[in-house]
Amino acid sequence: MGLRTDYLREVKAFQPSPPYAANAVKAFLVGGALCALAQWLVDWYGGTFAASPLEAHLWASMVMAGLAIVLTAVGKYDDFSQFAGAGATMLITGLANAIASAAIEHRSEGWTAGVAGQMLKAGGAAVIYGLIAAYVLGLVWP
Amino acid sequence: MKRVGKQTWVFDDGVYIQAAAAAVGPLEADGPLGRYFDVCHRDLYCGEKTWELAERRLMREAVDCCLQKAGVSAEEVDLFLAGDLLNQSATSNYVARELPIPFLCLFGACSTSMQTLAAAAALVAGGLADRALVATSSHNATAERQFRYPTELGVQKPKTATFTVTGAGAALVGRTPGRWRLRAATIGKVIDAGLKNPLDMGAAMAPAAADTIEQHFRDLGVSPGDYDLIVTGDLSRVGSVIVRELLAESGYDVTDVYNDCGLMIYRPDQKVFAGGSGCACSAVVTYGYLLQELARGTFRRLFVVATGALLSQTMVQQKQSIPAIAHGVVIEAAGQESDLPP
């Protein structure tokens, strides 16, 4: 047995596998903390500002997204995601980061072809499938 | 000049590197080889407005510095060979636009450094050029944009991922005896081991590196012990272990003389995942560190094997595997030459 007999199989011994358990724990804790923060914002808008539940959710989402955009702009969100993994990418903060990072990246090609044209490059799939999923769920639970 | 064996060119009538230079970005300057580089930038933008312009500036600086060291003006150079990782090799073409030198653009992904050096040596040895200039570059942010994601996109990268070196290297090849003699070059074949993960290029490229190194040993009838150092381009922590294992399976023990530029350019505590990669990785380590240590006598003969993952974003998205290639060049301290068979 050796690499030369079956490279695709034998090479796996040389490839460090991702720390799945540690990644899952980190994603759970960080993602959970972000969700708890967002929930606190919802309650705060609902309580202090007497916002309706819909308005409170919208405000909380916007604040979380805004936070992610600021962290993206100062170049910290990618480091945060490297640590938190899915805990950072699966939330609305991840979507905000995907759109903002593409917009920043393509600023050098101008506002139209660059920023606007490329903005959804990384986040477009989440937007499209998010819309489809929302539509389907809307049919199931009218 | 002659061909020996199947894939190896031997330059037996004197082809030399007359000068070489390396320009790098901040992380590379901060690395263990920082003091060997001619131009060090503190900022990834290198004083330019975009990443692409920064990469172009790095290549231009390496070229200018190399010509200045050689005491040769651009008009006195007969041929310019260069390549990089951007679409249409934009960096090389735009640098060549500024130079009054006939130009051949080459693409070999991260093997471009030795691809251009081997081609230049052959053209000079064959009398088609008296002086040939070679250059290659890569930039972390342009490569991320070209091959992966926007630089600020939060993606959890695996430990097998590599970190593209920001820098450029240039060398002037000619017949006038210089400090470094080019003795031989082995041109690699494209080898595709069937791997599909662009975040594990070390494992994809290792079989190509092993193939070229073995072919070189067979063609020339040499062994690992004939070299002070056999250095691969950017196999990183993952691929460098695999290539040693592949060579060991073929009966070549390179353990004592082997290293990888991707492991040499950064400190272990710099956050670069499995190590450095990119065209500039082997270029700046060779044209900066290795040549200076050859001149100093630390090494007498090197075999530099630049490894390239011939990655296409479109092909990867279409679930195609990643072809790889490796080209090697034997560089000796001039005056030490000698006993390299045949």
Side-chain angles (χ1 to χ4, degrees), chain B residues 111-126:
Chain B
S111 73
T112 307
S113 59
M114 292 304 120
Q115 181 193 29
T116 49
L117 188 62
L123 291 166
V124 168

Side-chain angles (χ1 to χ4, degrees), chain B residues 16-53:
Chain B
Y16 298 87
I17 293 180
Q18 304 193 312
V24 297
L27 210 61
E28 295 72 22
D30 184 40
L33 305 183
R35 66 196 165 91
Y36 291 93
F37 303 132
D38 302 283
V39 182
C40 294
H41 285 277
R42 279 199 212 152
D43 172 47
L44 209 51
Y45 277 105
C46 307
E48 298 287 343
K49 279 202 174 113
T50 69
W51 306 123
E52 285 73 16
L53 294 182

Side-chain angles (χ1 to χ4, degrees), chain A residues 107-126:
Chain A
R107 174 67 190 90
S108 52
E109 287 81 63
W111 288 102
T112 308
V115 176
Q118 304 283 350
M119 198 178 222
L120 292 176
K121 187 169 118 175

Side-chain angles (χ1 to χ4, degrees), chain B residues 20-30 33-44 46 53-66 69 91 95 134-140 164-171 265-266 279-289 292:
Chain B
V24 297
L27 210 61
E28 295 72 22
D30 184 40
L33 305 183
R35 66 196 165 91
Y36 291 93
F37 303 132
D38 302 283
V39 182
C40 294
H41 285 277
R42 279 199 212 152
D43 172 47
L44 209 51
C46 307
L53 294 182
E55 181 176 336
R56 191 190 304 173
R57 178 165 176 160
L58 285 164
M59 189 190 275
R60 182 67 213 245
E61 285 172 343
V63 163
D64 287 347
C65 185
C66 172
K69 280 182 176 178
T91 306
V95 167
V134 299
T136 186
S137 66
S138 58
H139 188 291
N140 186 272
T164 306
V165 169
T166 299
I265 190 162
Y266 297 116
C279 294
C281 189
S282 56
V284 301
V285 171
T286 305
Y287 299 148
Y289 169 70
Q292 285 181 43

Side-chain angles (χ1 to χ4, degrees), chain A residues 3-4 7 15 97 105 109, chain B residues 145 151 154 200 203 214 249:
Chain A
L3 285 165
R4 287 179 187 278
Y7 188 74
Q15 296 168 309
N97 163 254
E105 183 83 3
E109 287 81 63
Chain B
R145 183 216 284 251
T151 38
D200 184 7
E214 269 186 62
E249 285 183 13

